[in-house]
Amino acid sequence: DMPGMPPEVEKMAPAQRTRTEAALREAWKPRTAAAKTCLTKTDLAEMAKGPDDSGDCKYSNVKVTGTRWEADMACGNGRTGRTVLNASSSDRVSGTVIMRIPTSKGDGKSTIEISGRWASASCKGYED
């Protein structure tokens, strides 16, 4: 959901802009990706403390319970968003990351839907 292109695209020559806009629209199409990740008990304990502010985003309104993790975020270039993760059972997690991305023609919106499941009692065969 992107009402305007990034400012640098709007300054391009018409032919280059047309190609770049087409490439960006293709890149922004909804898609599904899957990944296997191993989280240890130590990893989960660190996550339970709340988000890490060391990257591009700073977090506020952080709420962590035994089954829910949520936070607002403010990131570089004026991007803002909210993440909510829910553990619906001992082996399932789902959530949403919604980001607002400012453009010259208004805010764009990026939505990431997350779902996961417990697969194994060991990390054997999983990338770290």
Side-chain angles (χ1 to χ4, degrees):
D1 177 15
M2 198 56 103
M5 294 291 148
E8 57 272 14
V9 174
E10 294 175 358
K11 296 175 186 173
M12 292 178 178
Q16 183 183 12
R17 179 178 172 166
T18 298
R19 287 190 306 273
T20 302
E21 286 178 347
L24 289 172
R25 281 192 182 88
E26 182 64 28
W28 291 335
K29 281 185 178 178
R31 59 189 174 277
T32 299
K36 290 183 177 181
T37 304
C38 182
L39 296 175
T40 66
K41 187 174 184 176
T42 302
D43 295 330
L44 293 173
E46 284 298 312
M47 290 173 70
K49 293 177 183 176
D52 177 2
D53 274 338
S54 64
D56 181 38
C57 298
K58 303 298 178 200
Y59 296 89
S60 62
N61 301 319
V62 178
K63 295 180 183 139
V64 180
T65 69
T67 59
R68 188 174 175 91
W69 186 101
E70 60 184 286
D72 293 326
M73 59 196 119
C75 306
N77 298 326
R79 295 171 295 137
T80 59
R82 179 153 183 79
T83 300
V84 177
L85 300 171
N86 290 297
S88 58
S89 68
S90 63
D91 66 343
R92 297 280 177 184
V93 65
S94 63
T96 305
V97 179
I98 298 174
M99 293 295 297
R100 294 258 178 236
I101 305 155
T103 71
S104 63
K105 296 181 180 176
D107 283 351
K109 179 181 170 185
S110 172
T111 302
I112 301 170
E113 294 179 359
I114 300 165
S115 65
R117 66 177 175 81
W118 181 80
S120 174
S122 83
C123 290
K124 186 177 179 180
Y126 286 86
E127 297 287 328
D128 190 20

